[in-house]
Amino acid sequence: MTTTMSALPARAPRRPATGWFAPGSWSLFAVRRGGRFLVAIVVLVTAAFLMLQLIPGDPARESVGATAPVEAVNLRRHELGLDQPLWVQYFRFWGGLLTGHPGTSITLRMPVADVIGSRFPATAELAVITLVVVLVLAIPLGLLAAALTRGGRRRGLELGFTSVTGFFSVVPEFLMGVGLVYLFAVSTQLLPVAGRGGPTSYVLPVAALSIGSTAALARIVRAEALGVLGNDYIRTARAKRMPAIRLYLRHALPNLMTSTLTIAGLFLGSLIAGTVLVESIFAWPGLGMTIVDSIRSKDYPLAQTLVVVYGAIVLGINLVVDVLLAILDPRSTIKES
Amino acid sequence: MAARSTGSPWRTALLAPTGLAAAAGLAVLVLLVIFGPVIWGADATTADPLSLSQPPGAVHLFGTDAGGRDVLARTMTAARLSVLMALAASVFGVLCGVVVGSLPSVMPPRLGRAVVSIFNFAIAFPGLLLTIFLSVIFGQGATGALFAIGVSIIPVYARLTHTLSSSVGGRDFVAAARILGVGKVRVVARHILPNIAGPLIVNASVTAGGALIAFASLSFLGLGVQPPEFDWGRMLNEGLSKIFVNPATALAPGIAVVLAGIVFTLAGETLARATGVNPGLTHRLPRWIPRPALPAGNVLDDVSGNASGDAVLRVRNLRVAVPHADGWREPVKGVSFDVGRGEVVGIVGESGSGKSLSCLSVAGLTDFPLKVTADTIVFDGVETLRGEHRPAGVSARAVERLLGTRMAMVFQDPMSSLNPSLRVGGQVAEAGFIHGGLTRRQAWAKAVRRLADVKIPDPARRARQHPHELSGGMRQRAMIAMGLMGNPALIIADEPTTALDVTVQREVLSVLHDVQVDSAAAILLISHDIAVVTGLCSRVLVMYQGEIVEEIATADLVAGRARHPYTRALLAAVPTMDTDRSQPMATIAEVPA
Amino acid sequence: MNHLEFRNVSVAFGHGPRRFVAVDDVSLSVPAGKIVGLVGESGSGKSTLARAAVGLCEPSAGSVLLDGVQVSHARGANARLRQRIQMIFQDPSSCLNPKLTIGQSVAEALDAAAKRAGTRTGRAQRAAETARLLESVQLPAARAADLPAALSGGQRQRVALARALAAAPGVILADEITSALDVSVQGSVLNLLRHIQRELGLGILFVSHNLAVVRYLCDEVAVMQSGRLVEHGETMTVLDHPRQDYTKTLLQAVPRIGEPLFAPATGMIQISEGAR
């Protein structure tokens, strides 16, 4: 292609911009993206199902322990449904998930659905509060840092910003958690360290989860913002001699949202993973503690379902992010199809 | 435009503070891995039943754990297992990831797309979550954790490799190799991988840091290293329950993990600088020696020019300096010219001649760290620059308002000079309510009228569209409309049609021409195309290596009355519709960049 | 004999409603020893046609023939025959592998030609041949050890030409090879191309949007618009007496030194640009 002006799409025969399934239309986007979500769910469920089959050796034996009698092993094998043909097991697994009765937890001796129902809100609360804190802090911080240091201005501030955020983004959530426990519970005893109770009990878990992510996201926002500020259209805006605040908020910020949102989606995914660790530090009664316990105690039905639940949450987040992107940036639906 | 030090990039990167810290940190880690268990191994495992859970003291610097073992010795000993496991998992994951990520470049397209969609699916899941899932399969224990972490690195690296190779794979030298019949595997090995090795290596270091933390996380959760083996994560797990008794049992391994993580990050940053993936912090600017401004009223009026006394723009001794490692260089070296009211002046020159930079400086649009100085710049009767600064007595606000309403700009690339996420109408209208005192509604209505003035059909609908819905020619016209929101005395058009086809070029130039005729605005047209400049301008400035080498009336230039040899050579080197086909083209010796 | 022929070639991208025809039923021939100019505006399909000749994209209909042998969609011997068609690209910053010395880049093409001929070249012979090729494009042989970063844009385009020549081509496709260069450098590249073409009797398809350059260099001109070939003939005939309206429009739009673009004070705007 000649690169004087890459006008390849421009030459496409014109089609009505409206109409069902027209390229770039909402319906086509919804069908494609929805289809991809469903395929991903099927793959996820199948992978969770196969997880049990892939365990080296005999899962039933693993589950009851090496010293248990043969009868116990056989009973457990029956409990796990492993005595059925593979395809029967597979459809039972699907049936359980779809009807909302995905079996019974071996260790807790209660329906998996009830375990998840009682534990899920605590995890969701923690994740949502953290995400809000991260977004509210990181985006203005990153934008401000970019505005102040663009083009190599204020080297000292740049060094300070990159060092501090770099340090905090290296410290993982659980170490941050341990550090916070030491600071606020062991040495000062200011805040509660375990369990979920009044508002103060949220402070440390949310802080442990959000400090690192805020630092990392602020770094990324700054880098993205510096990229946006280097664009020709910012020079056009500067040629109009507008107040700086308008330049940053009206002309730079909207162009930042696409990449920031994409990255924030990834962060939310890893936040979900981080809750697993932070819950175990602060004895937070959420799903994270449950999944770790289920793996340690070889409670396979519970672990399998939790894998599906966590996976579905992550896929759901991706879906929401893509829909938001499509709303914010009309070009992304075109790219999509 | 940042200043760069001379010398090899590796040397520079290593001698920077981050480089030194990374090298020292890596050396300590290597020594600990080799000698840690040899020196502290015995202390780390000897239980002292007489001193259980002791606080830090003289004998035990960080106290003892619940089994009465020295915490410092255990932390030092655990370095070997923690670091080696992390490295093993990273090496496994990175190698497999690079192979998987290269597959789509080698496979038939359909199969390749399938591989891409598999790792794109896997990457949606956060690494730690994937690791936890995989540890269900591999069971709890060091080997299981190693494979789980290694496998969870694969999709990340596969995607990174794929993204990087796709961008390199689209370049012309890869196409050239394919045309030569070079096999797919050889293209990947010889043309693609060497060109993406830099970012891959940099990320490998970051990945190793991540793996170290992932290991600590798994062991901390009890899913990794099992007793009696211990790594930092395991120690944290045991220490957390005793944090009220002896905080050091939890803090010592925690600090170790953080320090090791920082070492890997710093190593990554150093590698990034050395391989040029990321230039890192901007260098200190070279010392700037200010040039004294001439006292008021003492500006030498040495430019004859054809402009009458009433110039809309008067530029004297304009210099632009750019910082380099060895000091400031001047791509614009003392340029002086006038533009009369309503006059159309062209600036021609080749790339790097300083023509665009001169005009950006006149418009006050150069950015830090460039230094612009001039004896004087007077625009529309107001002096905007004297020496390095705006003269005292001229308010910043007044200059902004003047430039915002009386000077219009049109830039080269219509694809990038309009904001992609704002509506065209809004971008045009903006100038109206920032400076023009109009309400938003009035400004929008005026913007639609201006769009109509520049011959954009159906302007009301176009105003509501985003730039990507307009053709290149229309966008350039929208830029002109933007300038017409004020009452421009001068339109600076910087290569306004270079990116456009000839037929579209003619339309855009004709709009500029009409605007000039209707509004009596002057035009400063920058172009490398002599035909365009002579076709539109009455006077031409020829720039060469930062200087105006000749200022000549178009009629004289066309008639072959150019005096400067460069002007004559430039004119002769342009192929035209009358060039003698039997003769070789005239050439100009290349100037080394 | 090195006669390149496009026979009813169409190139389409995508499927279903997104199908986009870039080249639409084009028949064009590049006779041995002739330079054929291919002009048109961006998106006219001229570059795509050139890429279809070398297999960077394959025709969705029609065929590409070299000396009467079909080389499009070819395998085996015919695919090797296709390597006698070589291409030079527009962007001097991307035409050479930045990690290989220019000698290595040229040697790779020499190896390809040797492999095609079934011969083996020794190291010394290859070095000598590389030196000879670099000198033929007016670069000192000593520069073979340089990386592309040490070369200017014009020099890189000359190395690209040397690499194409190393593959022992019969036909060269030059895709906007001087568009990214300054006029001062453009002249020397054009002179070199013409000199080598005459010496080796190559056929060249010279793709360009610059009518003046095409007029200077080419024996024949073909004009493309929206994927179709609208006019083709001897250069001076087409440029002096265009038959098609589109060719006339193109010619009229070219700015000429010394001719004012517009009569003073008359708006002569014609909005012909369609909505995109």
Side-chain angles (χ1 to χ4, degrees):
Chain A
M1 294 284 104
T2 45
T3 58
T4 38
M5 240 176 72
S6 69
L8 200 114
R11 267 204 66 249
R14 255 175 77 75
R15 275 172 240 95
T18 51
W20 287 95
F21 306 121
S25 74
W26 269 99
S27 44
L28 185 72
F29 170 74
V31 167
R32 276 173 184 269
R33 191 61 190 85
R36 230 170 59 198
F37 178 72
L38 286 182
V39 169
I41 290 285
V42 170
V43 173
L44 171 72
V45 170
T46 309
F49 169 76
L50 288 176
M51 205 165 69
L52 192 57
Q53 315 296 326
L54 286 174
I55 291 168
D58 181 1
R61 167 60 74 189
E62 287 280 318
S63 175
V64 290
T67 51
V70 181
E71 293 76 38
V73 175
N74 286 337
L75 187 65
R76 179 56 56 83
R77 182 170 296 129
H78 179 70
E79 253 183 311
L80 292 172
L82 289 172
D83 49 353
Q84 304 280 337
L86 200 62
W87 63 273
V88 175
Q89 291 181 42
Y90 185 59
F91 284 106
R92 276 196 180 180
F93 188 60
W94 266 109
L97 289 172
L98 292 177
T99 54
H101 300 290
T104 307
S105 159
I106 296 168
T107 45
L108 302 172
R109 292 284 153 203
M110 62 191 278
V112 167
D114 293 358
V115 178
I116 292 171
S118 64
R119 296 277 183 137
F120 180 73
T123 298
E125 237 176 38
L126 196 57
V128 169
I129 295 175
T130 307
L131 181 75
V132 170
V133 169
V134 169
L135 289 180
V136 165
L137 289 179
I139 294 179
L141 261 178
L143 195 56
L144 188 69
L148 292 177
T149 62
R150 82 197 147 88
R153 291 173 173 80
R154 300 187 180 80
R155 289 180 68 248
L157 183 70
E158 185 185 6
L159 186 66
F161 179 84
T162 48
S163 313
V164 170
T165 53
F167 172 78
F168 282 113
S169 55
V170 168
V171 179
E173 294 96 347
F174 71 101
L175 282 181
M176 191 59 75
V178 173
L180 290 172
V181 167
Y182 173 70
L183 278 181
F184 292 98
V186 179
S187 15
T188 57
Q189 294 171 350
L190 279 175
L191 292 162
V193 281
R196 171 169 170 243
T200 49
S201 69
Y202 286 77
V203 175
L204 289 185
V206 169
L209 270 174
S210 54
I211 291 175
S213 298
T214 304
L217 190 60
R219 271 170 88 90
I220 293 167
V221 169
R222 171 176 170 265
E224 293 287 332
L226 286 177
V228 166
L229 290 175
N231 272 316
D232 286 358
Y233 56 78
I234 294 295
R235 189 177 57 189
T236 306
R238 282 176 52 218
K240 293 184 215 168
R241 328 285 160 171
M242 58 185 67
I245 188 94
R246 186 175 175 85
L247 183 77
Y248 291 120
L249 294 187
R250 180 82 183 136
H251 285 263
L253 190 60
N255 293 294
L256 207 62
M257 285 321 288
T258 310
S259 52
T260 305
L261 201 58
T262 311
I263 294 156
L266 288 176
F267 268 82
L268 191 54
S270 64
L271 262 181
I272 299 289
T275 54
V276 174
L277 286 149
V278 169
E279 282 180 15
S280 104
I281 292 173
F282 294 99
W284 195 260
L287 287 180
M289 297 256 287
T290 321
I291 191 168
V292 174
D293 290 341
S294 71
I295 293 171
R296 271 200 288 215
S297 57
K298 316 270 185 215
D299 187 346
Y300 294 124
L302 187 56
Q304 266 182 316
T305 314
L306 282 172
V307 164
V308 173
V309 169
Y310 269 107
I313 292 174
V314 172
L315 289 174
I317 291 167
N318 287 335
L319 183 69
V320 170
V321 166
D322 281 357
V323 170
L324 280 178
L325 281 177
I327 295 170
L328 279 175
D329 184 358
R331 287 165 302 167
S332 75
T333 52
I334 296 168
K335 256 182 266 158
E336 182 75 28
S337 50
Chain B
M1 286 284 159
R4 283 285 94 86
S5 300
T6 47
S8 105
W10 281 94
R11 201 182 138 82
T12 318
L14 266 178
L15 290 181
T18 36
L20 291 174
L26 277 180
V28 170
L29 271 188
V30 168
L31 289 177
L32 271 184
V33 166
I34 298 173
F35 298 111
V38 181
I39 300 171
W40 288 285
D43 283 349
T45 46
T46 331
D48 180 0
L50 296 177
S51 54
L52 302 180
S53 295
Q54 289 291 306
V59 185
H60 302 290
L61 209 57
F62 282 89
T64 58
D65 68 358
R69 295 163 298 203
D70 184 73
V71 171
L72 180 65
R74 279 175 78 75
T75 308
M76 295 302 194
T77 311
R80 182 185 279 184
L81 193 60
S82 306
V83 172
L84 284 187
M85 296 272 271
L87 284 182
S90 317
V91 168
F92 171 78
V94 167
L95 288 183
C96 292
V98 169
V99 170
V100 172
S102 302
L103 285 180
S105 314
V106 184
M107 286 173 154
R110 235 169 245 276
L111 210 57
R113 275 197 293 274
V115 173
V116 173
S117 57
I118 290 174
F119 60 66
N120 274 346
F121 173 74
I123 211 168
F125 298 95
L128 182 63
L129 220 49
L130 211 57
T131 312
I132 291 174
F133 298 164
L134 288 169
S135 66
V136 177
I137 299 174
F138 294 120
Q140 51 209 102
T143 328
L146 199 151
F147 274 101
I149 291 171
V151 169
S152 73
I153 292 172
I154 295 176
V156 181
Y157 243 80
R159 168 132 100 183
L160 180 68
T161 309
H162 175 65
T163 315
L164 292 169
S165 14
S166 303
S167 83
V168 173
R171 302 188 60 184
D172 290 338
F173 64 84
V174 176
R178 281 171 60 196
I179 296 171
L180 287 172
V182 178
K184 282 180 170 179
V185 176
R186 194 171 158 77
V187 166
V188 169
R190 188 174 160 91
H191 292 286
I192 294 182
L193 285 182
N195 283 297
I196 62 173
L200 286 183
I201 291 170
V202 168
N203 276 285
S205 172
V206 178
T207 302
L212 186 95
I213 285 162
F215 250 110
S217 311
L218 273 192
S219 296
F220 176 74
L221 288 173
L223 299 175
V225 173
Q226 302 296 321
E229 297 281 339
F230 58 95
D231 67 346
W232 290 329
R234 183 85 222 163
M235 290 180 64
L236 265 166
N237 177 322
E238 290 159 5
L240 187 62
S241 56
K242 296 278 179 288
I243 195 163
F244 289 93
V245 186
N246 176 13
T249 48
L251 295 182
I255 292 167
V257 171
V258 171
L259 286 182
I262 289 174
V263 167
F264 281 117
T265 310
L266 289 180
E269 257 175 50
T270 309
L271 284 170
R273 278 190 213 183
T275 53
V277 173
N278 183 350
L281 269 182
T282 4
H283 285 242
R284 195 178 295 279
L285 294 182
R287 207 173 119 78
W288 171 253
I289 302 151
R291 202 172 281 115
L294 291 177
N298 196 13
V299 172
L300 302 169
D301 221 345
D302 58 344
V303 172
S304 53
N306 296 14
S308 61
D310 182 29
V312 69
L313 178 68
R314 166 169 303 219
V315 177
R316 291 293 175 273
N317 193 20
L318 171 72
R319 291 172 182 273
V320 181
V322 178
H324 279 263
D326 48 1
W328 294 83
R329 287 187 203 159
E330 286 191 333
V332 177
K333 308 181 181 75
V335 165
S336 302
F337 61 93
D338 284 348
V339 179
R341 294 207 179 264
E343 197 191 9
V344 185
V345 176
I347 303 185
V348 292
E350 299 191 87
S351 44
S353 61
K355 54 190 192 306
S356 288
L357 209 47
S358 303
C359 292
L360 281 179
S361 316
V362 167
L365 290 176
T366 48
D367 214 343
F368 184 88
L370 270 60
K371 291 272 187 195
V372 177
T373 59
D375 289 351
T376 185
I377 295 179
V378 181
F379 173 63
D380 201 21
V382 178
E383 187 170 36
T384 58
L385 191 72
R386 164 169 291 265
E388 277 181 61
H389 305 285
R390 181 164 38 79
V394 181
S395 82
R397 220 185 153 74
V399 170
E400 296 273 279
R401 206 184 134 72
L402 177 75
L403 294 176
T405 52
R406 298 284 285 162
M407 186 185 280
M409 304 286 302
V410 184
F411 299 112
Q412 174 172 359
D413 187 358
M415 311 313 259
S416 63
S417 49
L418 287 173
N419 194 323
S421 52
L422 303 178
R423 289 177 203 282
V424 174
Q427 298 189 52
V428 175
E430 212 170 21
F433 61 81
I434 294 175
H435 301 292
L438 302 177
T439 64
R440 269 155 210 265
R441 185 183 287 269
Q442 289 168 330
W444 183 278
K446 187 174 181 185
V448 173
R449 287 201 302 278
R450 290 293 174 250
L451 288 173
D453 289 345
V454 295
K455 317 287 193 295
I456 287 184
D458 200 357
R461 182 172 69 91
R462 291 295 180 186
R464 286 191 304 272
Q465 290 184 323
H466 284 90
H468 72 270
E469 295 168 90
L470 268 62
S471 70
M474 275 198 234
R475 286 185 226 186
Q476 253 352 19
R477 280 182 269 166
M479 282 293 292
I480 299 172
M482 205 180 276
L484 295 180
M485 285 302 285
N487 176 25
L490 175 68
I491 301 172
I492 296 182
D494 184 358
E495 303 265 9
T497 58
T498 304
L500 304 174
D501 280 322
V502 275
T503 52
V504 185
Q505 160 170 295
R506 186 161 273 254
E507 291 161 13
V508 170
L509 291 177
S510 106
V511 168
L512 264 181
H513 173 75
D514 284 6
V515 163
Q516 190 263 333
V517 169
D518 293 347
S519 69
I523 293 182
L524 187 55
L525 177 74
I526 300 143
S527 180
H528 68 282
D529 189 336
I530 293 189
V532 166
V533 168
T534 56
L536 210 61
C537 307
S538 56
R539 191 156 56 92
V540 180
L541 312 173
V542 183
M543 279 196 78
Y544 179 64
Q545 298 200 334
E547 288 174 82
I548 294 179
V549 294
E550 182 155 14
E551 182 187 349
I552 183 169
T554 303
D556 290 336
L557 182 68
V558 169
R561 290 194 286 269
R563 293 180 307 272
H564 198 278
Y566 177 73
T567 315
R568 287 202 294 268
L570 195 62
L571 204 58
V574 180
T576 66
M577 297 308 275
D578 318 300
T579 306
D580 185 351
R581 299 172 65 197
S582 60
Q583 296 297 315
M585 285 298 305
T587 57
I588 306 175
E590 269 187 83
V591 179
Chain C
M1 283 302 284
N2 297 299
H3 178 200
L4 174 68
E5 196 182 351
F6 297 91
R7 199 173 284 170
N8 303 104
V9 168
S10 295
V11 181
F13 300 108
H15 299 279
R18 296 206 63 80
R19 188 178 154 90
F20 162 70
V21 181
V23 175
D24 191 1
D25 194 24
V26 169
S27 295
L28 177 67
S29 135
V30 182
K34 294 272 182 196
I35 307 185
V36 178
L38 186 57
V39 299
E41 299 192 277
S42 48
S44 63
K46 53 190 194 302
S47 289
T48 310
L49 186 68
R51 295 171 77 87
V54 289
L56 292 176
C57 55
E58 289 287 0
S60 50
S63 46
V64 180
L65 298 96
L66 185 63
D67 291 338
V69 180
Q70 182 181 331
V71 293
S72 52
H73 295 288
R75 294 190 169 277
N78 289 3
R80 284 195 292 280
L81 181 65
R82 198 182 206 169
Q83 290 168 19
R84 300 210 50 196
I85 312 171
Q86 285 295 319
M87 188 156 173
I88 312 171
F89 300 89
Q90 172 175 11
D91 183 3
S93 67
S94 116
C95 69
L96 297 172
N97 185 339
K99 299 285 175 184
L100 296 183
T101 66
I102 62 176
Q104 284 171 316
S105 283
V106 174
E108 184 168 64
L110 282 173
D111 288 345
K115 195 173 156 195
R116 203 169 69 221
T119 55
R120 286 184 69 90
T121 33
R123 181 178 297 225
Q125 194 186 347
R126 197 164 34 185
E129 190 65 1
T130 304
R132 187 188 67 76
L133 282 162
L134 287 179
E135 274 163 5
S136 77
V137 296
Q138 293 157 14
L139 280 171
R143 302 215 66 169
D146 282 355
L147 287 174
L151 272 62
S152 71
Q155 288 171 330
R156 284 184 220 174
Q157 288 302 63
R158 282 189 243 158
V159 175
L161 178 59
R163 176 177 57 191
L165 294 176
V171 182
I172 286 185
L173 311 179
D175 186 5
E176 300 271 9
I177 57 169
T178 61
S179 306
L181 304 177
D182 273 322
V183 276
S184 56
V185 186
Q186 172 174 276
S188 62
V189 172
L190 292 179
N191 289 340
L192 178 66
L193 192 65
R194 185 145 89 170
H195 171 76
I196 283 172
Q197 185 268 339
R198 285 186 180 158
E199 199 157 88
L200 301 178
L202 294 169
I204 294 182
L205 182 66
F206 188 85
V207 180
S208 179
H209 69 279
N210 188 331
L211 284 169
V213 170
V214 167
R215 177 189 164 279
Y216 172 74
L217 195 68
C218 301
D219 303 303
E220 296 173 18
V221 177
V223 183
M224 278 185 81
Q225 181 197 16
S226 306
R228 292 181 160 272
L229 190 70
V230 292
E231 185 158 2
H232 178 202
E234 198 275 323
T235 302
M236 293 320 286
T237 317
V238 172
L239 298 185
D240 289 345
H241 309 285
R243 280 174 291 137
Q244 298 295 324
D245 289 344
Y246 180 70
T247 315
K248 287 177 196 161
T249 315
L250 269 186
L251 280 166
Q252 277 163 8
V254 177
R256 291 153 205 254
I257 295 179
E259 281 178 33
L261 277 163
F262 310 101
T266 52
M268 44 162 287
I269 309 167
Q270 282 188 331
I271 312 268
S272 62
E273 234 186 317
R276 301 200 172 173

